[in-house]
Amino acid sequence: MRFFYLLILSLWFISCKTTYPKLSSDSISITEKQRVYDFGEKILKSCVTREFIQLSEKEVTKGLAKLSLEQMQKSCDYFDSVHGKFIDMELIEIIDDTYTNNSLIYRYKANFEKNIPLKEIRIWVQKNGKFSGIIYQDWKDEYVVNN
């Protein structure tokens, strides 16, 4: 009987889904939202202009600052060949990930020349204000954690 209870308890834990709270867009200052947008736009527009700038540890974490200009170039080559040029992005939601990663996650729907499939730009900002990550992936309406 004890085994049965442990099995039920295990299944219950497995079925639990971690949820991340969403922040109201109004709870973030317009200046901060613009700063995050500008960072993402700067990175993505560098693919269009081909003017790559080395990221500084004043603005980003050490891990992001280690990205080489060659790595940025390679990513841009892929973007351009698959999705075309970056046009714009729209902030959809802000996820509070301070409990696990001490950061906020800004989720944008991205607009490229070729929007099949629709893409997401995700930007991580640590509580100290430094950018700690930027990725793009297929858009999903529900927030899905990246591992």
Side-chain angles (χ1 to χ4, degrees):
M1 192 67 170
R2 183 181 290 175
F3 176 74
F4 177 73
Y5 288 125
L6 287 174
L7 179 63
I8 296 299
L9 187 60
S10 296
L11 290 174
W12 180 72
F13 280 125
I14 291 170
S15 68
C16 289
K17 182 178 177 183
T18 303
T19 58
Y20 291 83
K22 296 177 185 177
L23 296 179
S24 163
S25 182
D26 295 336
S27 69
I28 306 293
S29 73
I30 293 171
T31 306
E32 179 63 6
K33 288 185 283 191
Q34 188 63 50
R35 186 179 81 88
V36 175
Y37 176 89
D38 290 345
F39 174 77
E41 183 182 52
K42 174 176 75 173
I43 298 297
L44 293 163
K45 290 252 174 157
S46 69
C47 291
V48 175
T49 64
R50 296 296 185 193
E51 295 173 9
F52 301 105
I53 300 166
Q54 189 65 51
L55 300 173
S56 162
E57 284 188 41
K58 291 179 184 176
E59 180 179 37
V60 302
T61 58
K62 287 181 182 180
L64 215 52
K66 287 181 182 178
L67 282 176
S68 70
L69 298 177
E70 292 80 24
Q71 289 170 310
M72 291 182 203
Q73 172 78 41
K74 188 175 180 179
S75 295
C76 286
D77 290 343
Y78 176 77
F79 271 130
D80 289 349
S81 68
V82 175
H83 305 292
K85 301 289 184 210
F86 169 75
I87 298 169
D88 201 6
M89 59 188 188
E90 174 189 2
L91 180 62
I92 302 300
E93 65 184 358
I94 303 165
I95 305 294
D96 184 352
D97 191 23
T98 54
Y99 182 72
T100 56
N101 290 315
N102 198 30
S103 61
L104 298 179
I105 303 168
Y106 290 73
R107 294 184 70 214
Y108 293 89
K109 278 188 182 176
N111 187 14
F112 290 91
E113 288 176 326
K114 306 171 203 170
N115 281 324
I116 300 174
L118 192 58
K119 290 295 177 192
E120 171 183 355
I121 303 297
R122 195 176 284 188
I123 301 173
W124 281 262
V125 181
Q126 291 188 334
K127 280 300 194 183
N128 64 8
K130 288 188 176 187
F131 297 100
S132 58
I134 180 169
I135 64 165
Y136 92 105
Q137 61 191 18
D138 291 349
W139 176 261
K140 291 182 176 53
D141 289 334
E142 288 295 316
Y143 173 71
V144 177
V145 178
N146 287 74
N147 293 328

